[in-house]
Amino acid sequence: MLRRQLGRKLEALRKAAGLTMEKAAEELDRARATLYRIESGAENVRFRAADVKEMLKLYGASDEDTELVLAMAAATRENKNWWHDYVGSGLPRWFQLYIGLEAAASDIRKYQPELIPGLFQTRAYAEQVFNMPGGSIDAQDSDERQRAVQLRIERQGLLTRFAAPQLSVIMNEAVLRRPVGSATLMAEQLHQILKASELPNVTVRVLPFSSGLHAGAMAGAFSIMAFPRDSSGKEMEPPVAYLEAATGAIYLDKPHEIAAYEAIWADMAGRALNESRSKNLIQQVAEEYSRA
């Protein structure tokens, strides 16, 4: 999130100086694509002090803005998040941004039509998921697969950390009914969801088959993340909607895009079982697996 904030600050300074991205790139002797990555806060960009100073000089930044931006740039070079050790093995680069946003979010809403959300998955369930071909992880590479599983388990610490985000999950009933691995595995997995739902910051609701056609049927799995506000109540980071595919992901943050997913969420929330009835259904299905 720090990178994204720094990129937006540099973009604001450029625009305040009356420079287009093309003109600024020309003056800095940089490719437009490079400047775009800088302003997007891309993970592979190094905010070198000399480069940042050159940009600030071109943009006519004040002493106050210069001090702030240089401090932010230095922090990006010094900071190494826990998940960086997984990059290239167990963590696709396109997913790295999501983990950073997830870790910084104050409120996360997830809809999952097919699988147990990763933040709830047991190790055994996650191993079954990563054994499937066609995903971002090579199912034939056991070391890479195990690192991906371990990353998923470590991410779950998010739910019990200090200042944990509020997590609201809506799952299609099919997620509960579709066996992944053995009946024993599924029973343990559903009990894991019930355990997570007892956390004060976690809400789990089920969208039953009886709800009929709903807006999520055409949207697929997605997450909406909101971020903390500063002392004046202003958003530090705009909300982001995240959509994942087998080989990449889409990050949406334009107001009309967020509004569309807010409307989808509202439709499903109006059709889903309440928390109590959702827990009863999860418990019922868990017992069915236990008897199988």
Side-chain angles (χ1 to χ4, degrees), residues 8-178:
R8 277 202 305 278
K9 182 66 176 177
L10 288 169
E11 179 186 16
L13 290 171
R14 171 179 61 76
K15 290 180 176 178
L19 293 170
T20 64
M21 188 176 289
E22 289 78 6
K23 182 63 176 175
E26 180 183 343
E27 293 288 338
L28 293 166
D29 194 24
R30 296 290 185 86
R32 184 188 184 282
T34 300
L35 194 57
Y36 174 80
R37 288 195 297 273
I38 290 172
E39 294 186 358
S40 299
E43 184 66 30
N44 61 348
V45 171
R46 288 191 63 202
F47 290 98
R48 288 182 284 261
D51 297 337
V52 175
K53 287 178 181 178
E54 186 181 2
M55 296 174 73
L56 293 169
K57 182 179 179 181
L58 175 64
Y59 300 160
S62 67
D63 290 344
E64 182 181 358
D65 280 335
T66 296
E67 182 178 356
L68 172 63
V69 169
L70 288 175
M72 293 173 72
T76 67
R77 296 192 298 273
E78 296 166 1
N79 182 45
K80 181 181 179 183
N81 293 302
W82 66 265
W83 60 84
H84 284 195
D85 290 338
Y86 290 91
V87 175
S89 179
L91 176 61
R93 286 199 172 274
W94 51 262
F95 190 55
Q96 191 170 353
L97 173 58
Y98 175 79
I99 295 186
L101 293 173
E102 181 183 69
S106 57
D107 183 276
I108 303 171
R109 284 173 288 170
K110 287 180 171 290
Y111 169 59
Q112 183 51 260
E114 296 292 338
L115 295 171
I116 304 293
L119 290 174
F120 295 159
Q121 288 181 12
T122 63
R123 182 178 294 274
Y125 188 100
E127 287 173 347
Q128 292 289 324
V129 171
F130 286 117
N131 275 336
M132 295 298 295
S136 58
I137 301 299
D138 183 357
Q140 302 304 313
D141 187 329
S142 60
D143 289 341
E144 183 173 351
R145 193 170 64 244
Q146 285 305 312
R147 285 175 65 81
V149 170
Q150 184 60 31
L151 169 65
R152 179 151 296 182
I153 300 304
E154 290 192 32
R155 277 176 56 210
Q156 295 171 5
L158 177 78
L159 301 181
T160 53
R161 74 178 190 195
F162 176 75
Q166 182 66 42
L167 174 66
S168 301
V169 172
I170 296 178
M171 293 185 295
N172 195 309
E173 184 176 346
V175 174
L176 311 179
R177 302 286 186 184
R178 177 174 292 108

Side-chain angles (χ1 to χ4, degrees), residues 178-246:
R178 177 174 292 108
V180 173
S182 68
T184 299
L185 185 158
M186 285 301 299
E188 292 174 349
Q189 175 61 80
L190 297 191
H191 283 123
Q192 172 82 350
I193 297 173
L194 292 171
K195 181 179 178 181
S197 70
E198 296 300 322
L199 293 170
N201 56 311
V202 174
T203 299
V204 179
R205 298 177 64 192
V206 177
L207 193 62
F209 293 140
S210 60
S211 65
L213 182 64
H214 55 86
M218 294 169 282
F222 66 88
S223 299
I224 304 173
M225 292 170 283
F227 302 91
R229 296 175 180 268
D230 61 22
S231 57
S232 66
K234 182 181 179 182
E235 291 178 332
M236 296 174 63
E237 179 85 4
V240 175
Y242 170 80
L243 292 71
E244 185 176 321

